Amino acid sequence: MSHPIVQSSREAQTSDVDAHGTPDWLRRELGEVVAADRVLGRPIELVMYASDASFYRLMPQAVVLAETTAEVAGLFAYSRRRRIPLTFRAAGTSLSGQAQSDGLLVEVARHWRGVQVEDDGVRVRVQPGTIAARVNLALRPFGRKLGPDPASIAACTVGGIVANNSSGMCCGVAQNAYNTLASLTFLLPSGTLVDTAAPGAARRFAEHEPALAAGLLTLRERVLADAGLTERIRTKYTRKNTTGYGLNSFLDFDEPLEIFRHLLVGSEGTLAFIAETVFETVAALPYRITGLLVFPDVHAAGQAVVPLRDAGATAIELMDRASMRSVERKPGVPAYLVGLPPGAAGLLVDFSTSDPAELAALERVAATLVAGLDLVVPGEFTPDADLQAQYWAVRGGLFTSVGAARDTGTSVLLEDVTFPVERLADAVVDLTALFVAHGYPDGVVFGHAKDGNLHFLLTQSLNEPAEIARYAGFMDALADLVVGRYDGALKGEHGTGRNMAPFVEKEWGATAIAVMRELKRLADPDGLLNPGTIINDDPQAHLRHLKTTPTIESSADRCIECGYCEPVCPSRELTTTPRQRIVIRREMVRQEMVGQTPVLLALRRDYAYMGLETCATDGMCERACPVEINTGDLVKGFRAEQHSPRTESAAVTVARRFAVVERLARVAVRTGRTTAATFGQRSMLGLTDLLRAVTSTDLMPRWDPDMPPPAPARLPRTSPVGAQAVYFPACINRIFGPAGGADATTLPQALVAIARRAQVPLVIPDDVAGSCCGTPWQSKGYTDGTAWMLNHTVERLWEWSDAGRLPVVVDASSCTLGLRESGHHLRDENRLRLAGLTLLDSIDFVHDVLLPRLVVDTRLGSVAVHAVCSVHAAGSVGKLEALGAAVADAVVNPVDAGCCGFAGDRGWLHPELTASALRHEARALADDPHDAYLSSNRTCEVGLSRVVGKPYRSFVHALEEATRAMEPPASTGPGLTGALMRSARAGRRSPGRGGGASLPGPAAGSRVG
Ligand SMILES: Cc1cc2nc3c(=O)[nH]c(=O)nc-3n(C[C@H](O)[C@H](O)[C@H](O)COP(=O)(O)OP(=O)(O)OC[C@H]3O[C@@H](n4cnc5c(N)ncnc54)[C@H](O)[C@@H]3O)c2cc1C
Ligand code: SF4
Ligand code: SF4
């Protein structure tokens, strides 16, 4: 193919969005099909949905959040009437450009969630917008999981998995969606709705869609009549292949509905809407041994794959030298990576089982195999979880390193090809030579070697014509190599999209592409459903609509727009996600390059609320992000820019006088409550709303009818004599009292009491007022105020703890984390002090130190716990659950729980943020009452109580009540200091990464590909 360059300039991308957004007539008409508030059409809304995880970008004319199948049917009819194309969008993690539209983009994730486990986990019924990891959490108690296992499982949806026929490192072909989908409900563009499992479904399908049903049989005959094609289909689908439609459906089935339902797998939303799925689940294999085998060269590594696969390895991940080099200096990976020879290559191998008794036998098999291999480093398999984590850190850190190291302005291109596994060794060598020949010497090859499915990462600019021409030449050569030399697949698992659409015929030949075109015509006669994806007449389709990557703030510039961060963000359903905040920011920069365009002004206006005010700056996104971006930092940077020197200096003054501010805050809360009690809640709401209107919704909190009462001015009396730890009550617990009224026990009273009962006395410093973890300043971007407060507090902590001799217990988890991570705000001497302090969160302290010394005599039936973001970050969720279990017979930690978005005071500033963030958790708990609702952060508890409608409080209260009858033990007993220090170390351990859901199986987290 020759490639006159079709598109590349930044200007081409700035002209595709209109400052008015969606035309009024289109909004109005769509508002007649779905509720008007679910039609998004402002420029900012179009821009934020224009990108998926691919390196393409299409600007939709309108975005619609569909809620029901009837609405989707209405949208199909509307699209046909107005001849506007329509594309479905779930989580938008697709890599080949198939989740984008320049017509109507119909979002089918938000309102399409739900999991119903059937037959003791043998089957699971799932709504298409459900995040796949969420399904696995529901299946976990049954020892089952979904077959498909894409690395993006914590972010992508089940509908996306089926539509792309996504797979991963273990599932291979046998357990992909094509082979594990028991039935599905689909809606055709004609409006015909079919549940394939319903009695008489095949007959009704034939009656309602006679042309489609008959046409499928005709196509089947055409395929069967071509012996060469039939043979190729049989051979090629023994391996992963997502190029074009799944032609194996024509060979594997002979009844039209069965053929069609299998064709829907991998159809990338081009044939029908998938409204519900039922999967046959597969056994989870939680026990495993892992080995990192390092070979002298990539060819030798490739040759070892077949013997390992035949011996039963459940995962074999190849990593070339460039992959391993990219991570060799990362913490947590084996040290020997640094000294490996230049051409070395690794295989990361798992043997997994559901039965721990089988592990020893697997170890023997693996040891025999390894003995026959020529390895650079002695290879051995281990069941040790820490070592396994080290090995998988190599694979998991790959994308991070490549993404982080890319030059600004360049894109990361992630490709996905399959070779016959028997010829993998030669294929990798050829692939590497191709990189060099086309000017990509830093290309990184890795992937699911067990299935011959390789990924490679290239970084290059898509901003300049010459660069696009280079990419075009590379793609032609790649197609020649994969198809011409190996008869492999140009897409193994990421879907054809726009990226490989021009090459489908090259891979499959003229007869096959004719069958595919006819299939598309039969199901979608108007050609309006995701046009340009899979079937595309344009030989340059893969070079059009390329996404430019302008340089933005360094805190977010590395973003590869993968979408991993979206499910964990509390504002995702209210305004924007972290990815969207970055995508919009990139569009602003594109616009700025042209000038002060009307679009730029419109984006800036809406970004203030959509991007900035409603970010909780909780940093949840960083934990899910493969390149470790905390979008909250980007937001804080913008907030800081909004401050004048005068407001900065006022913020420092507030910090300096914080002891007075605390006192005034208690008075204000008391006055507010009195006013509300006297004149009604509406009076306080009206007053604060008025103040918000004349000041700022981002600075002036709205009065909350559930505002807790003020704390007593006096903290519990403690003594430094014999104290084993310093207790630093967070300012929020010094200002707010318990929800139960004046006589109720305060959190400091409760913690001091159980510490006494456990004979681990605490001391609260007399001058604790005025010190704080700095979050109120930090979250609003007051840099000087943050620095002043943190330096002051660390100095006080240093003194109170007797220069670090005593540990310090903090009773709000977010404050503990805030203090631990405050180093970059500190002066050198205070950074040293911070390092010398032992900071214990109340969860660690109570779980590790007090609990073994307490006797629970009053147990509850069940409790619900909510682990706040900082507890996730500290890896202490299990301890919170254990503390719940210490006081109750049953503990529920809802799988739908996430960050509450309260974030210090944001929940008061923007109550709608907390309401939106906790919507799903509230629904999960609505019909599931518990005896107590426990957490570990006061402000989050306020938000939870308000939205969930249950009285949340610290777990400390529950433990204090459960141990009231306890006689103090005779002595403290030996080893207490050791226990405290161990607890501190555990609390400091780096957080588990990889999104809200912790998943079974290998290397859950930031894997890619
Ligand atoms: C970093 C990274 C790693 C990845 N790793 C893997 C991997 O290991 N294996 C793998 O296979 N993929 C991987 N992917 C690709 C991607 O995550 C998967 O293809 C995923 O299944 C897409 O799901 P989604 O919910 O994001 O769907 P989307 O991207 O939103 O949509 C996917 C396609 O499905 C269509 N669609 C969505 N919902 C429906 C519906 N209800 N009915 C009809 N059509 C619908 C859309 O129109 C689109 O064509 C990775 C992506 C990223 C960014
Ligand atoms: S900091 Fe929190 S609210 Fe802000 S983008 Fe990240 S996850 Fe979302
Ligand atoms: S911020 Fe991180 S997780 Fe989110 S889209 Fe960007 S790279 Fe992906």
Side-chain angles (χ1 to χ4, degrees), residues 565 568-572 576-579 581 611 614-622 629-633 635 899 901 913:
C565 52
V568 299
C569 176
S571 62
R572 67 190 181 280
T576 52
T577 68
R579 170 169 64 173
R581 288 182 166 97
T614 48
C615 171
T617 61
D618 55 309
M620 285 298 279
C621 40
E622 184 180 9
I629 291 172
N630 180 344
T631 308
D633 288 344
V635 169
C899 170
L913 175 60

Side-chain angles (χ1 to χ4, degrees), residues 420-439:
V421 66
E422 298 75 16
R423 300 176 66 193
L424 193 65
D426 291 343
V428 191
V429 173
D430 286 344
L431 198 54
T432 312
L434 208 64
F435 295 160
V436 176
H438 288 267

Side-chain angles (χ1 to χ4, degrees), residues 559-565 579 582 624-627 629 631:
C559 175
I560 43 143
E561 299 183 10
C562 65
Y564 275 26
C565 52
R579 170 169 64 173
I582 294 169
C625 174
V627 291
I629 291 172
T631 308

Side-chain angles (χ1 to χ4, degrees), residues 88 90-94 98 151-152 157 163-164 166-167 268 274 493 564 1009:
F88 296 114
T93 65
S94 283
Q98 62 266 55
S152 50
T157 67
N164 282 352
S166 312
S167 52
E268 301 176 29
I274 297 163
E493 57 180 25
Y564 275 26

Side-chain angles (χ1 to χ4, degrees), residues 647-936:
T647 51
E648 265 293 351
S649 134
V652 174
T653 306
V654 171
R656 285 177 188 277
R657 310 230 172 106
F658 195 57
V660 179
V661 173
E662 273 179 47
R663 223 173 27 244
L664 291 177
R666 281 194 294 270
V667 173
V669 172
R670 186 172 300 115
T671 313
R673 285 171 65 88
T674 310
T675 309
T678 314
F679 299 106
Q681 297 290 354
R682 292 172 68 92
S683 66
M684 277 308 287
L685 280 170
L687 185 64
T688 52
D689 282 353
L690 182 69
L691 287 171
R692 281 157 69 85
V694 295
T695 55
S696 155
T697 53
D698 205 31
L699 289 174
M700 179 71 208
R702 189 163 202 249
W703 174 255
D704 182 350
D706 302 324
M707 191 73 85
R714 274 178 181 284
L715 287 158
R717 198 181 296 278
T718 55
S719 164
V721 180
Q724 302 224 14
V726 174
Y727 174 16
F728 177 44
C731 67
I732 198 74
N733 292 323
R734 305 193 304 256
I735 294 173
F736 289 114
D743 296 337
T745 310
T746 66
L747 177 57
Q749 286 164 347
L751 188 53
V752 166
I754 56 170
R756 268 193 200 126
R757 282 173 209 158
Q759 297 272 295
V760 186
L762 299 172
V763 57
I764 301 176
D766 290 338
D767 55 347
V768 74
S771 297
C772 161
C773 69
T775 302
W777 290 264
Q778 203 176 350
S779 65
K780 295 193 182 65
Y782 287 111
T783 322
D784 296 346
T786 309
W788 190 93
M789 177 52 84
L790 279 166
N791 277 290
H792 162 80
T793 301
V794 167
E795 282 163 15
R796 305 307 304 133
L797 290 172
W798 188 247
E799 193 183 310
W800 296 331
S801 67
D802 191 13
R805 183 180 62 81
L806 290 177
V808 177
V809 179
V810 186
D811 63 4
S813 297
S814 67
C815 303
T816 321
L817 190 73
L819 284 168
R820 278 187 189 142
E821 295 184 343
S822 65
H824 57 290
H825 291 285
L826 299 176
R827 293 190 295 275
D828 287 350
E829 69 273 20
N830 286 335
R831 208 171 300 134
L832 285 175
R833 286 180 177 134
L834 178 70
L837 286 170
T838 304
L839 291 172
L840 288 171
D841 185 50
S842 60
I843 290 188
D844 296 319
F845 173 65
V846 177
H847 177 275
D848 299 352
V849 181
L850 303 190
L851 193 57
R853 295 155 185 271
L854 291 171
V855 178
V856 171
D857 61 280
T858 319
R859 290 183 69 76
L860 300 168
S862 72
V863 295
V865 296
H866 177 97
V868 301
C869 316
S870 36
V871 174
H872 280 279
S876 310
V877 181
K879 289 185 185 177
L880 179 64
E881 290 171 349
L883 286 161
V887 295
D889 297 336
V891 181
V892 169
N893 185 358
V895 286
D896 286 318
C899 170
C900 68
F902 209 96
D905 59 359
R906 203 131 292 261
W908 276 308
L909 296 167
H910 295 287
E912 71 279 17
L913 175 60
T914 309
S916 171
L918 292 175
R919 200 163 64 91
H920 299 286
E921 190 168 354
R923 195 177 297 159
L925 289 170
D927 302 323
D928 183 21
H930 298 279
D931 298 325
Y933 297 83
L934 309 178
S935 194
S936 62

Side-chain angles (χ1 to χ4, degrees), residues 942-1007:
V942 172
L944 283 155
S945 303
R946 188 170 65 201
V947 179
V948 180
K950 310 285 182 189
Y952 275 84
R953 56 194 187 140
S954 168
F955 67 92
V956 173
H957 288 294
L959 201 59
E960 188 275 321
E961 286 159 12
T963 55
R964 277 186 185 167
M966 188 186 158
E967 286 296 315
S971 79
T972 50
L976 182 59
T977 312
L980 283 166
M981 293 306 171
R982 266 197 306 282
S983 172
R985 274 198 300 276
R988 276 186 182 179
R989 201 170 282 157
S990 63
R993 298 183 34 77
S998 60
L999 308 169
S1006 309
R1007 286 185 286 109

